[in-house]
Amino acid sequence: MPAERPRPTIADVAERAGVSKGLVSFALNGRPGVSPQTRDRILEVARELGWQPSLRARALSVNRAFALGLVITRDPEIITGDPFYPSFIAGVERELAPAGQALVLSVVPDEEAELAAYRKLVADRRVDGVFITDLRHDDARIELARELNVPAVTLGHPETPSPFPAVSMDDRAGIEAAVDHLVRLGHRRIAHVAGPARMLHGSRRRRAFEDAMARAGLPADLVVETDFRAADGARATRDLLAPPDAPTAIVYANDPMAIAGLGFAQRTGLRVPDDLSITGFDGSDVGEHLFPALSTVATEAAGWGAVAARVLLRSIAGEEPGDTDLPPARFVPRESTAPAPPSPPANG
Amino acid sequence: MPAERPRPTIADVAERAGVSKGLVSFALNGRPGVSPQTRDRILEVARELGWQPSLRARALSVNRAFALGLVITRDPEIITGDPFYPSFIAGVERELAPAGQALVLSVVPDEEAELAAYRKLVADRRVDGVFITDLRHDDARIELARELNVPAVTLGHPETPSPFPAVSMDDRAGIEAAVDHLVRLGHRRIAHVAGPARMLHGSRRRRAFEDAMARAGLPADLVVETDFRAADGARATRDLLAPPDAPTAIVYANDPMAIAGLGFAQRTGLRVPDDLSITGFDGSDVGEHLFPALSTVATEAAGWGAVAARVLLRSIAGEEPGDTDLPPARFVPRESTAPAPPSPPANG
DNA sequence: CTGAAAGCGCTTACAG
DNA sequence: CTGAAAGCGCTTACAG
């Protein structure tokens, strides 16, 4: 082990510059009340010495962590393949790095561990604020964050009253556009493979589907709820395609399920999109390279992350950012959607 | 804003228990030299007061961050779809949470930003050690970590001499098994869509491919280098399939490229696996649900993360863990590989 | 077994 | 414009 050369502290700088520690601190932080000459001398000495601020010491004196917390709750199976979080995190970092903030990430298997993770993060004062993603109905995290007195930002509006700013993206628009597109293509039997009803975006996308169907004068009777996993997508597709009056189009609540659904359909000999149209959600880039290329709803997760980070930073700084609405999710038609096949002869 | 009720400190505990702060600290940390009765009293008072240790204060006095750093270098395009990091991180967290450690994550777009991120992480003393993943040839991070005097663990063995423990998984075995499998199925023209040569696992998988081909007495003349992106996989497949002596099987260096390659092949009317066999790498769960289900090489990224975290923690604790070899990557045959098609009539 | 004190490296009133 | 001092909340020799 090479001996650790101890890092210079402001005391070293002060001594060498012949001033007090306090003055060094003022000069370094660009506070007013230091004459230009002494400031320059102090800065010069700091540079010579290779002084670097101790975040730890600052953290203790100003009572800040200079970090934001993200906890992701996913069973390990589902985490892979979902394009949302990697992009979201990249967007968050784009905002944090220049601000000198760090991201502390917690990945937990279930909701119990999730609450514990938030508690731990703020008990340890590891972060100055937290992201609340994947909102659920009656989400306990809103109350918890309030109780812990930690700044937070929610992705989307929680159902329960929330003191925290929300950064929302209208995903209804994307689902509706998908349904409208299919209806225009002549589809009448359209199914929806939904996310879990306990998740707000799961049930919201489902409601958007139902509303769009209602507007088109069609029954929304073909809906199956899932856990967002690829395997669920395959299973749901099997169940939907089994009956004689099977749908001619399926709207999936995420891309991995749509890809698995596509696989299942092809496996049974159905041609996509000739026999069956399919749409995904979230725009994984692999979907673009499938055959047929997956029609999907693009969500700009990175932009969402960047804005959420900015809002959280502002609310930590004591501002009251208010809610912000991102541009709505966009339907991206590709190859997996086509005109409905001619209806089979009505028999019976 | 509800008024922040100030958290009790050890000074409060000490006062209430009628002892000194030092003694409280000893009792709380289970140090010897505190009589059982006073220890119990102190613990009791701490509980009554709802005392929680200040990680910040501890960090400053013991000069530790109680956190590990992971920096991921990816252009935003590629990050989505790759199943490795989400699983790896889940494994890391499985180890860190019980140890009271946190993960600070940095996502950067290129190698320059990557080095800056490592520097910043240790300059700020945000972490006690760092993971070095996705090793490259002449990887500057080894030297940087040594220079910064920060404990590190590498995923795999770097080429340059390294003072850091390595946690390795033999990915050669998986590639070789894939090639052997294809050879046994009668394939003679086998191509490889490789990762970037500057990345160690990119070139190592390529070499494994070449070696396996050589052992089978086959030329490894069909290799195209890529950047690991899905789009690259499609492009490479197009280039490979264009000439008259196109391969009957393609071994891809990751799953997203294999999926895109599958899509491209199907698009041109080739039947997979009848006309063309395909294998991936890393085992995304979506691959399992494609039609045909993707034969791939499974890597146990979560286990890798857990072991790497444990090793890094031990080396921070001053042990010298030494290198560890994980079970080799396993080839998982599914549906995308089948006997080679009968050779076309030799003409010319 | 216990106490009093210094130290970790900053920031921030308070005085001059 | 500048200095001396206290404080953030712990840990850790050093004495007894």
Side-chain angles (χ1 to χ4, degrees):
Chain A
M1 262 305 187
E4 290 246 13
R5 169 162 34 73
R7 303 175 16 149
T9 72
I10 55 167
D12 300 317
V13 176
E15 190 190 8
R16 178 108 152 225
V19 299
S20 71
K21 281 167 40 182
L23 202 57
V24 171
S25 176
F26 272 57
L28 259 11
N29 290 309
R31 295 285 207 89
V34 187
S35 75
Q37 307 97 299
T38 53
R39 143 160 316 138
D40 288 352
R41 182 157 39 92
I42 290 172
L43 261 30
E44 174 57 25
V45 168
R47 189 169 327 116
E48 275 173 31
L49 256 35
W51 175 85
Q52 292 190 311
S54 161
L55 201 67
R56 283 214 257 277
R58 270 196 86 202
L60 184 60
S61 31
V62 304
N63 199 27
R64 288 264 277 116
F66 306 106
L68 268 30
L70 175 63
V71 2
I72 302 181
T73 312
R74 295 261 147 146
D75 76 80
E77 248 193 281
I78 192 182
I79 197 168
T80 157
D82 185 338
F84 181 78
Y85 277 110
S87 300
F88 179 79
I89 291 174
V92 167
E93 295 274 7
R94 212 161 64 204
E95 209 61 34
L96 293 196
Q101 308 282 318
L103 177 68
V104 359
L105 175 66
S106 224
V107 178
V108 296
D110 55 47
E111 297 180 18
E112 190 187 330
E114 176 187 65
L115 293 180
Y118 279 98
R119 281 187 192 286
K120 182 72 174 155
L121 240 29
V122 346
D124 286 350
R125 294 281 199 264
R126 283 214 116 115
V127 297
D128 301 315
V130 295
F131 296 93
I132 300 182
T133 64
D134 283 333
L135 283 172
R136 296 181 296 264
H137 293 283
D138 279 319
D139 202 304
R141 291 172 296 170
I142 306 296
E143 190 43 41
L144 178 63
R146 190 210 311 269
E147 171 195 326
L148 295 175
N149 209 329
V150 66
V153 60
T154 59
L155 266 58
H157 291 276
E159 272 179 333
T160 47
S162 159
F164 307 114
V167 177
S168 311
M169 172 174 301
D170 179 14
D171 46 5
R172 295 180 53 97
I175 293 284
E176 285 163 5
V179 171
D180 291 351
H181 183 247
L182 292 167
V183 168
R184 267 197 307 276
L185 289 171
H187 292 273
R188 291 293 168 263
R189 296 288 288 157
I190 305 175
H192 180 47
V193 175
R198 70 177 186 288
M199 307 194 74
L200 245 46
H201 55 304
S203 55
R204 195 174 50 234
R205 288 174 199 173
R206 175 189 185 141
R207 205 153 352 106
F209 170 79
E210 291 166 347
D211 291 351
M213 290 293 278
R215 255 202 318 274
L218 299 172
D221 55 335
L222 297 174
V223 176
V224 8
E225 186 185 330
T226 69
D227 257 335
F228 268 142
R229 287 178 305 219
D232 293 335
R235 195 158 35 236
T237 306
R238 184 197 60 203
D239 294 348
L240 285 169
L241 294 181
D245 62 339
T248 61
I250 305 182
V251 173
Y252 293 83
N254 75 2
D255 265 23
M257 292 199 298
I259 294 172
L262 171 62
F264 181 86
Q266 292 178 148
R267 179 177 303 278
T268 64
L270 284 179
R271 289 164 310 160
V272 175
D274 308 272
D275 301 322
L276 179 70
S277 283
I278 275 179
T279 69
F281 202 101
D282 265 354
S284 62
D285 56 334
V286 83
E288 189 177 341
H289 297 284
L290 297 178
F291 180 68
L294 185 66
S295 299
T296 190
V297 176
T299 46
E300 276 288 354
W304 206 345
V307 173
R310 211 167 332 158
V311 165
L312 187 48
L313 251 18
R314 287 177 50 203
S315 87
I316 290 167
E319 301 178 41
E320 300 192 352
D323 296 342
T324 92
D325 286 305
L326 268 21
R330 257 176 39 256
F331 178 62
V332 182
R334 291 202 281 236
E335 299 170 346
S336 64
T337 40
S343 6
N347 59 341
Chain B
M1 263 307 186
E4 290 246 13
R5 170 162 35 72
R7 302 174 16 149
T9 71
I10 55 166
D12 300 318
V13 176
E15 191 189 7
R16 178 108 153 226
V19 299
S20 71
K21 282 167 40 183
L23 202 57
V24 171
S25 175
F26 271 58
L28 260 10
N29 289 310
R31 296 283 207 90
V34 187
S35 76
Q37 308 96 297
T38 52
R39 142 160 317 139
D40 289 351
R41 182 156 41 91
I42 290 172
L43 262 29
E44 175 58 23
V45 169
R47 190 169 325 117
E48 275 174 32
L49 257 34
W51 176 85
Q52 292 190 311
S54 161
L55 201 67
R56 284 214 256 277
R58 269 196 87 202
L60 185 59
S61 34
V62 305
N63 200 27
R64 286 266 277 117
F66 305 106
L68 268 30
L70 174 63
V71 2
I72 302 182
T73 311
R74 294 262 149 145
D75 75 81
E77 249 194 281
I78 193 181
I79 198 170
T80 157
D82 184 337
F84 181 78
Y85 276 109
S87 301
F88 179 79
I89 290 173
V92 167
E93 295 274 6
R94 212 162 61 206
E95 209 62 34
L96 293 197
Q101 308 282 317
L103 177 68
V104 359
L105 174 65
S106 223
V107 177
V108 295
D110 55 46
E111 296 180 19
E112 191 187 330
E114 176 188 65
L115 293 180
Y118 279 99
R119 281 186 193 286
K120 181 72 175 156
L121 240 28
V122 347
D124 286 349
R125 294 280 196 264
R126 281 212 119 115
V127 297
D128 301 316
V130 294
F131 296 94
I132 299 181
T133 63
D134 283 334
L135 284 172
R136 296 181 295 266
H137 293 283
D138 278 320
D139 202 303
R141 292 172 295 172
I142 305 298
E143 190 43 39
L144 178 63
R146 190 211 311 270
E147 171 194 326
L148 295 174
N149 211 328
V150 64
V153 60
T154 59
L155 266 60
H157 291 277
E159 273 180 330
T160 46
S162 160
F164 306 114
V167 177
S168 311
M169 172 175 300
D170 180 14
D171 47 5
R172 296 180 53 97
I175 293 285
E176 284 163 6
V179 171
D180 290 351
H181 182 247
L182 291 168
V183 168
R184 267 197 308 277
L185 289 171
H187 292 274
R188 290 294 167 265
R189 295 289 287 159
I190 305 176
H192 179 48
V193 175
R198 70 176 186 289
M199 305 193 76
L200 243 47
H201 55 303
S203 56
R204 194 175 49 236
R205 288 174 199 173
R206 175 188 184 143
R207 205 154 352 106
F209 170 79
E210 290 166 348
D211 290 352
M213 290 294 279
R215 254 202 320 274
L218 298 171
D221 54 337
L222 298 174
V223 176
V224 7
E225 186 185 329
T226 71
D227 258 334
F228 269 142
R229 288 178 305 219
D232 293 335
R235 196 158 33 236
T237 306
R238 184 197 60 200
D239 293 348
L240 286 168
L241 295 181
D245 61 339
T248 61
I250 306 182
V251 173
Y252 293 82
N254 75 2
D255 264 24
M257 292 199 298
I259 294 173
L262 171 62
F264 181 86
Q266 293 178 147
R267 180 176 302 278
T268 64
L270 284 179
R271 291 165 308 162
V272 176
D274 308 271
D275 301 322
L276 178 70
S277 283
I278 276 179
T279 69
F281 202 102
D282 266 352
S284 61
D285 58 333
V286 82
E288 190 176 341
H289 297 284
L290 298 176
F291 179 67
L294 187 65
S295 299
T296 190
V297 176
T299 45
E300 277 287 355
W304 206 344
V307 173
R310 209 167 332 156
V311 165
L312 186 48
L313 251 18
R314 288 178 50 203
S315 88
I316 290 167
E319 301 177 42
E320 301 193 350
D323 296 342
T324 91
D325 285 305
L326 267 23
R330 256 176 38 257
F331 178 62
V332 182
R334 292 202 281 237
E335 299 170 345
S336 64
T337 40
S343 6
N347 61 341

